Structures are given as structure tokens and as C-alpha cells.
Amino acid sequence: MERWRWHLRPRGKMVPEELEKEIQRAKAEGAEPFFVCATSGTTVLGAFDPLGAIADICQRHNLWLHVDAAWGGSALLSGKHRHLLDGIERADSVAWNPHKMLTVGQQCSAFLLRDSSGLLQRCHGTGATYLFQRDKFYDVTYDTGDKTPQCGRRVDCLKLWLLWKAIGTQGLARRVERAFAFTRYLAEEMKRRDGFRLVLEPEFINLCFWFVPPSLRGREDDPQYWSKLGKVAPVIKERMMKKGSMLVGYQPHGPHVNFFRQVVTNPVVTRADLDFFLDEIERLGEDLGGTPHPPPHPEPSSDP
Ligand SMILES: *Cc1c(COP(=O)(O)O)cnc(C)c1O
């Protein structure tokens, strides 16, 4: 069903009216839709789908609503930001990765299910009597062994429990709020500096931006502008890696050429680190965007 239509996804969010139309179309073609996957915090843009309106549609058509909150689910821990996920309480299932924004040790991924009728057991259970005894002295519905496709696995939730014990509910909320504040600071700082151009105003902690080198500034009417700009991020990234100063991801997305995506979740990052980040991008990218220039060090000759 996925057909990339950027103009129908303002800010990368699902448009409920379009979902309704797609369901009608699929039914008209004789298909039987059964599942909708909404996203809370998309990987690149950090977009949050409007869960309430999507849940209404799912309810009307009797569809399973799954929310991929792998990235954005942690916002629920902050009273200030949890509104981004309004409606998630109506989901049939939710995926959430505390190892991302909360920085619980890799890996810690939760799958939360509304069902309490033993659905996972029915789907995945093998009932191997040599492993999973049903006649134990306690309530065996607490046993997880026969509910997953995996048999051997770690107690990943212990890491979340330990962090929660260590810093408390307020400590978790502070971690989330700090990450939002870092992003806000960087976005405002970028608007103050000449070379940074936001792809969109951040709603979450994904800060999507282009660095525009001096040679390209004010040159949007150059037909080569976007293709030249798309070559800037990979070179800056190569330079930061070779220098060993930073690691920041970039990607193209929909109609957009390569742009950086900065996400700061590390709770010990300081304002000085954020300023270094901005200065370093400027340093590494200031000579780019023009005609190709010789590398800073002459390539060794291949002649003996
Ligand atoms: C990270 C991420 C995933 C992948 O999660 P895994 O637990 O690593 O499989 C899925 N969806 C979104 C939106 C993500 O950001």
C-alpha cells in the first residue's frame, strides 16, 4: 500500500482522509485490509501521526491499530511532551525502544499488546513439553518463553528497570526534556547563523538541516543549486570521520537532497558541545559547493 506521495504527507505525517480513501480503494479491489501501522516519531523527520483520527478509522473498519513508537514512545515520560502521542491508548499494539531516546543499554525493545487472551502464546507457542511445563505451582501465563519466536534471549527489560530505579520517573522525564531542549537550542542557533537551513521546524528531537557553504548562499536560482547542495553533507561527513571529531547521520528523503539529521540524546552533552557541533560543521564545509577543488594533500603519485 506504500506509495510515496510527498504532497499528501505534510511534515511526513499520515493524512487520515487519505487512509480512509486507501481502505475504500483496497476494498473496492477485493482486498481485505486488516492492519494499520501508525508511527509516533518517524526515523528521519520525527513526525507523529494523528493517532486519534486514525484510531477512529480503525474502529469504523475493524482494523488492528499498531503504533510504531520505537523512536517517539519515550516522549510519553514527559508531561510536557506526551501530547504528541495522544490517542496511543487506543492502539491494539505498540512498539517502543527505550534504548533510543532514554539511552537504556542496547538493546531494549518493548512490544506492548492490549490483548490479554494469550494471543502471543497462540501465535508462537510450540507447547514443547520438554521446555515449558504447564503444571507449575504458579500462574504460567507470566512465563514468556513460549510467547516469542525466539527461545533463548536476554532479560532486556532489566536494564530499563535498573535505569528507572536509579534516576526515577522524574529523572526519565528530565532526560526526555533535555533532549527536546538541545534540539530547540540548535534550531534557534542555526537560524542565527548564515549557513544553516532547516528542512522543517522540528516537532520532536530530530533536527533536519542543510549546511549551505558560502559559495552557494543566495544562489537558489542556480539550476544546479540542489544537486550541488546534495553533495555537501557526504563530504562534511567524510571529513568529520577522517578527523575523528563527530558522527552525524545524513540522508536524502522524498524530494529533498541529502541533509543532516542531528539527534542529541546523551544526557551529559553540554551547551559547549552543541556550539562545537555548529562550529565544526561550518569549519568542515566552508570551502564546499563550488567547482571541484584539489584535495588538501596532493594524492601520492602512482608512478614508482
Ligand atoms: C529504530 C526504529 C525502528 C527499528 O526498531 P528495532 O527495534 O531496532 O527493530 C522501527 N521504527 C522506527 C520509527 C524506528 O525509529
Side-chain angles (χ1 to χ4, degrees), residues 199 210 225-227 229-231 251-259:
V199 176
W210 289 283
Y225 178 83
W226 289 105
S227 77
L229 189 56
K231 296 190 175 82
Q251 67 285 297
H253 192 253
H256 299 309
V257 299
N258 281 324
F259 57 88

Side-chain angles (χ1 to χ4, degrees), residues 39 41-43 68 70-71 97 99-100 109:
T39 308
T42 58
T43 305
D68 176 352
W71 178 216
N97 288 359
H99 68 233
K100 290 188 171 174
S109 306

